[in-house]
Amino acid sequence: MTIRCLAIDDEPLALQQIAAYIGKVPFLQLAAQCQSAVEARQYLEQDTVDAIFCDINMPDLNGMDFVKSLAVPPLIVFTTAYSEYAVEGFRVNAVDYLLKPFGMQEFQRAANRLKERMGGNDSRDDKGEQGKPVNDTLSPAGDAGDDSFFLKTDYRIVKVTISDIRYVEAMSEYLKVWLRSDPKPIITLLSMKKMEERLPDYFMRIHRSYIINLNEIQEVNKNRVIMDKDTYLPVGDMYKEAFQSYLDARFLTK
């Protein structure tokens, strides 16, 4: 199991130290390092991570408010020189809290806690794509037959009509299910594998992070699928051949 990490600290030396510690733990991988929460937010708009090591006392936007602003935060380890933040840190369900200055031993403890939260092994058969425990949140909708299913989201159980799904987006161990009928996605704890198995054949996985409703495609431009004027989804290398075969079978020629 590899845990992709984002390191955030406005102090260059502290950021360098966290990056060095991440490099010493075999199951951690440094995805990026940012010197502000604003920079980190911009990064997360383009990519996902499994865990964040986040300083709290930063200018512009402090780490606590930054984490609270995330719709689906990854696992969080707070790092700070101010002990009064500890209680508030655990209120937002932080995995651990590192009080500066901290050494490798304390960092290793936090890393081990991250690993425990992630599932603790590399099995990919029935624990999701990256060894993460799967909360089986997808179930048939009973009388509705194969046209719908239920998803757990927050503290609710919502019915989803399958044909209403435009595309599904992976975010760490969560999924965003984007619908025609609602501009806001349904966010649920579920693996892409489980979702892919449940969806009918007019859905196709085109990227490790995207499953699309093929009926919703408006245009294909090079290696991008255009769903609407604001939504451009990439086609991953390992999915190009299958997607191109789908297109070739539907070309209208002379």
Side-chain angles (χ1 to χ4, degrees), residues 39-243:
E39 183 184 346
R41 178 179 285 168
Q42 292 171 347
Y43 175 84
L44 291 175
E45 289 174 354
Q46 305 297 323
D47 206 347
T48 60
V49 295
D50 301 306
I52 296 177
F53 289 88
C54 186
D55 186 25
I56 294 178
N57 193 29
M58 294 185 290
D60 297 327
L61 178 64
N62 73 51
M64 193 71 65
D65 290 339
F66 164 67
V67 170
K68 290 178 180 178
S69 74
L70 298 176
V72 185
L75 300 177
I76 303 294
V77 175
F78 284 117
T79 63
T80 183
Y82 301 92
S83 59
E84 62 266 26
Y85 286 115
V87 173
E88 189 178 358
F90 286 112
R91 282 177 182 166
V92 297
N93 200 29
V95 174
D96 208 345
Y97 176 93
L98 294 173
L99 185 62
K100 298 178 181 178
F102 54 86
M104 186 62 201
Q105 184 176 354
E106 291 90 350
F107 186 88
Q108 184 69 61
R109 179 199 67 198
N112 290 340
R113 288 181 176 177
L114 285 174
K115 188 176 183 181
E116 289 172 6
R117 284 281 191 99
M118 291 282 289
N121 60 54
D122 289 326
S123 174
R124 292 172 179 251
D125 293 332
D126 48 23
K127 293 201 175 188
E129 293 181 327
Q130 297 180 15
K132 300 167 186 171
V134 173
N135 184 357
D136 192 9
T137 59
L138 188 154
S139 60
D143 295 339
D146 291 332
D147 297 331
S148 59
F149 49 69
F150 290 109
L151 290 174
K152 295 177 184 176
T153 178
D154 296 325
Y155 300 102
R156 300 177 297 131
I157 298 176
V158 296
K159 181 179 177 181
V160 177
T161 301
I162 294 175
S163 59
D164 191 33
I165 299 173
R166 299 184 64 237
Y167 64 96
V168 179
E169 178 182 2
M171 291 182 57
S172 188
E173 69 259 49
Y174 291 86
L175 299 182
K176 282 185 175 181
V177 181
W178 295 88
L179 306 176
R180 287 197 196 105
S181 59
D182 193 336
K184 294 183 179 180
I186 295 171
I187 298 175
T188 186
L189 179 60
L190 190 70
S191 73
M192 285 288 271
K193 180 181 178 182
K194 287 281 188 181
M195 180 61 77
E196 194 172 14
E197 290 172 349
R198 180 64 182 83
L199 292 172
D201 57 8
Y202 60 89
F203 285 83
M204 178 178 287
R205 190 164 184 177
I206 61 166
H207 188 274
R208 64 186 296 271
S209 299
Y210 295 104
I211 300 172
I212 64 169
N213 183 336
L214 296 166
N215 297 326
E216 291 290 303
I217 297 174
Q218 290 190 2
E219 185 179 333
V220 179
N221 188 335
K222 296 182 180 179
N223 292 324
R224 297 188 303 175
V225 175
I226 301 173
M227 308 294 282
D228 57 49
K229 64 183 180 66
D230 298 316
T231 308
Y232 297 73
L233 305 181
V235 180
D237 289 341
M238 67 182 295
Y239 303 95
K240 284 180 182 177
E241 185 176 351
F243 184 61

